[in-house]
Amino acid sequence: MENIKLPVHIAVIMDGNGRWAKEHNLPRNEGHRKGTKVLENIIKHANKIGIKYLTVYAFSTENWSRPQNEVNGLMKLFMKYLDRNIKKAMRDDIKFNAIGDIDSPNIPSDLKEKIKVLQEITKDKKGLCFNMAFNYGGRDEIIRACKKMMTEISLDKTGNSEITEALLSSCLDTANQPDPDLMIRTSGEMRTSNFMPWQLTYSEFYFASCLWPEFTVKEFDKAIEEYSTRKRRFGKSE
Ligand code: IPE
Ligand code: IPE
Ligand code: MG
């Protein structure tokens, strides 16, 4: 990884857990369990190589429409993930941050509580900022940001009520964070499925054909190497 231009912020759509389980004659939730292990390796690796922000799509606002048994299994996995990380937070330098509609009544209250605890005890960490997109929908995020923005404007005593990109950005769940430079999606699907529509405007996309439970650190590095060769123009000529 020498002479490589590292992305500051990487976003990942972890897709293909269900298909992986099916291929192995396992229940879908086993695919999600294996997927969590892969995620933990990637977080560790991203921190080690100096990535500053990693945002992963863990559960979308649309994923509630899956069978109850699968949704319950996913909630249990998140709970276990949070418990493990609350325990080892002292030893880590990773900052945990949830993005998405975390205050929704659909989210079990003990899960909400653990999210708040992990955020609070890691808030001053100086290593990787790990954003978990949970009950996240890009359109929902923009709507919530608009509501927040309207309140801020009406409270603004300076009389400055101009709506700007910077103001809307500052009302998103990713406020104060740079937009992703690179977006990786596994499983061969080539769509964004309501993931970060505002923030991915100028990101480079990398589609891996492997399923998420098969994704490796090597494949992650390959995506970074490919990113490093891309010429980003941001609308300029040349
Ligand atoms: C991604 O894997 C995990 C979540 C959406 C929670 P999928 O469960 O979507 O797996 P496929 O796409 O059905 O294979
Ligand atoms: C996107 O994957 C959501 C997550 C990875 C959490 P989906 O599997 O839900 O997306 P679609 O339905 O294939 O577009
Ligand atoms: Mg999927």
Side-chain angles (χ1 to χ4, degrees):
M1 297 281 283
E2 274 156 40
N3 301 322
I4 289 274
K5 188 176 66 202
L6 273 188
V8 175
H9 187 169
I10 301 182
V12 184
I13 302 180
M14 313 182 287
D15 198 15
N17 293 351
R19 276 163 281 171
W20 181 87
K22 195 168 181 201
E23 276 179 13
H24 292 79
N25 286 318
L26 293 166
R28 288 183 67 88
N29 283 331
E30 278 304 302
H32 296 315
R33 204 173 58 83
K34 177 74 171 44
T36 311
K37 289 207 168 130
V38 169
L39 171 63
E40 287 182 286
N41 280 339
I42 297 297
I43 296 171
K44 216 176 358 179
H45 178 68
N47 186 37
K48 195 171 103 196
I49 65 173
I51 302 297
K52 296 283 177 246
Y53 300 88
L54 177 72
T55 302
V56 306
Y57 206 4
F59 192 86
S60 74
T61 45
E62 288 76 26
N63 289 148
W64 293 107
S65 55
R66 293 190 178 199
Q68 198 55 47
N69 168 47
E70 182 174 355
V71 171
N72 291 346
L74 282 163
M75 295 302 143
K76 266 194 202 137
L77 275 175
F78 296 133
M79 197 80 99
K80 282 190 187 155
Y81 173 85
L82 293 164
D83 279 336
R84 270 199 303 283
N85 284 276
I86 287 169
K87 270 199 201 111
K88 67 185 186 75
M90 285 277 279
R91 281 178 280 135
D92 272 353
D93 58 351
I94 298 170
K95 177 173 169 172
F96 174 85
N97 181 48
I99 66 166
D101 187 8
I102 302 305
D103 297 325
S104 159
N106 290 337
I107 303 178
S109 50
D110 45 353
L111 192 53
K112 277 186 199 164
E113 202 42 54
K114 285 184 205 289
I115 288 174
K116 293 208 172 106
V117 169
L118 189 54
Q119 283 186 159
E120 179 58 30
I121 60 180
T122 62
K123 72 177 192 311
D124 297 321
K125 300 283 184 180
K126 298 283 179 269
L128 174 78
C129 172
F130 169 57
N131 290 323
M132 185 183 272
F134 183 74
N135 191 25
Y136 178 88
R139 290 184 174 182
D140 175 71
E141 182 191 29
I142 292 172
I143 297 287
R144 285 186 290 107
C146 287
K147 288 182 183 162
K148 200 168 157 196
M149 191 169 65
M150 298 324 278
T151 320
E152 284 192 10
I153 286 177
S154 61
L155 292 176
D156 190 345
K157 303 278 183 288
T158 64
N160 177 7
S161 60
E162 204 192 341
I163 295 176
T164 61
E165 289 189 11
L167 180 62
L168 192 114
S169 292
S170 74
C171 294
L172 292 171
D173 299 339
T174 50
N176 302 317
Q177 298 188 11
D179 288 340
D181 302 290
L182 169 66
M183 191 284 284
I184 302 172
R185 182 169 188 153
T186 58
S187 90
E189 306 295 356
M190 296 190 189
R191 55 178 172 265
T192 54
S193 305
N194 203 10
F195 187 48
M196 307 184 94
W198 178 276
Q199 300 91 333
L200 292 179
T201 307
Y202 264 106
S203 311
E204 296 294 325
F205 287 7
Y206 179 90
F207 296 103
S209 56
C210 68
L211 302 171
W212 177 253
E214 300 162 339
F215 192 73
T216 57
V217 157
K218 215 167 142 194
E219 189 72 32
F220 187 76
D221 289 349
K222 213 170 112 192
I224 295 175
E225 276 166 37
E226 156 91 31
Y227 163 82
S228 184
T229 66
R230 304 264 180 98
K231 180 96 187 80
R232 303 180 78 186
R233 279 187 284 275
F234 299 100
K236 295 181 187 135
S237 51
E238 162 236 328

